[in-house]
Every structure is written in structure tokens, then in C-alpha cells.
Amino acid sequence: QVQLVESGGGLVQAGGSLRLSCAASGSGFSINAMGWARQAPGNKRELVAVITSGSTTMYADSAKGRFTISRNGAKNTVFLQMNNLKPEDTAVYYCNLDAIYMGSTMHYWGQGTQVTVSS
């Protein structure tokens, strides 16, 4: 069984920063990629950033230049540093994991952490 535990959300003023963390726990899995997605009320869930096991990164246009995704491979942890936050960044942020588990490709989601940016 693989579990994701997120932390780091909260309330911040526009222009401020937050750092999200997500740790994957369990055994018998190997990570292909980890990332973050977000969902605002009434909107679809959208991918924000992804980092592969080889540390290749990809960002949504809305995140480029402001957000940085990084990883600690030894601890199966991914981070999202968010700078210059805007009210439109307000959403529930979900960690996601793409992994090989018991020979199959599996996709996992965290429980979500709320990020609220006030104007």
C-alpha cells in the first residue's frame, strides 16, 4: 500500500510564499514521477508541476517563473515552492504519484491541502 501525506498549505497574502511538501510511504514501489495538481471551487483539477525520477521538471504556464518543484529521492518526498502568490492560486493542492507497484503502473493522490491567497 502506498500513501501520500501532504503538508504546508495555509493562508497567505498576495505576493507571499508557501512551500508544500508531500511524502510517499509504503514499500515495494518505484517512483516514475511526482507532482502537484490543484482544484479551485467549480473548476476542474489542473496539473501544476511534475518532476520525474530523473529530475526533469514540467510546469503549467500559470506556474512558470513563480513555482519550483523539487524532490528528495532518498526520502520519496516532493516539494512545491510557491512564490509571488496570487489570489487566483487559491485552491486545494493535491500531491500525485506515478509509480510501479507490484509490476503495474499505479497513480496515487494525496488528501489535498488548502492554499488560500488573500488580496
Side-chain angles (χ1 to χ4, degrees):
Q1 187 75 7
V2 180
Q3 291 186 323
L4 301 175
V5 178
E6 301 146 333
S7 61
L11 173 64
V12 65
Q13 289 188 329
S17 299
L18 283 174
R19 188 181 192 228
L20 305 182
S21 300
C22 173
S25 63
S27 61
F29 68 97
S30 61
I31 295 174
N32 289 331
M34 294 184 75
W36 293 91
R38 67 186 182 186
Q39 188 167 18
N43 290 357
K44 294 180 179 179
R45 190 173 297 188
E46 62 171 356
L47 194 62
V48 175
V50 175
I51 185 166
T52 69
S53 58
S55 296
T56 298
T57 58
M58 293 166 280
Y59 295 93
D61 287 343
S62 59
K64 289 178 182 176
R66 299 187 300 126
F67 295 2
T68 301
I69 190 169
S70 60
R71 62 188 287 267
N72 182 328
K75 296 184 178 180
N76 292 335
T77 302
V78 66
F79 307 96
L80 186 67
Q81 177 67 42
M82 303 185 293
N83 298 328
N84 191 21
L85 283 161
K86 304 174 181 180
E88 51 264 42
D89 294 317
T90 296
V92 178
Y93 283 70
Y94 296 91
C95 176
N96 63 83
L97 166 66
D98 190 290
I100 303 297
Y101 180 68
M102 298 186 69
S104 297
T105 299
M106 304 293 288
H107 204 75
Y108 302 91
W109 291 96
Q111 79 283 0
T113 185
Q114 177 70 46
V115 171
T116 302
V117 184
S118 62
S119 57

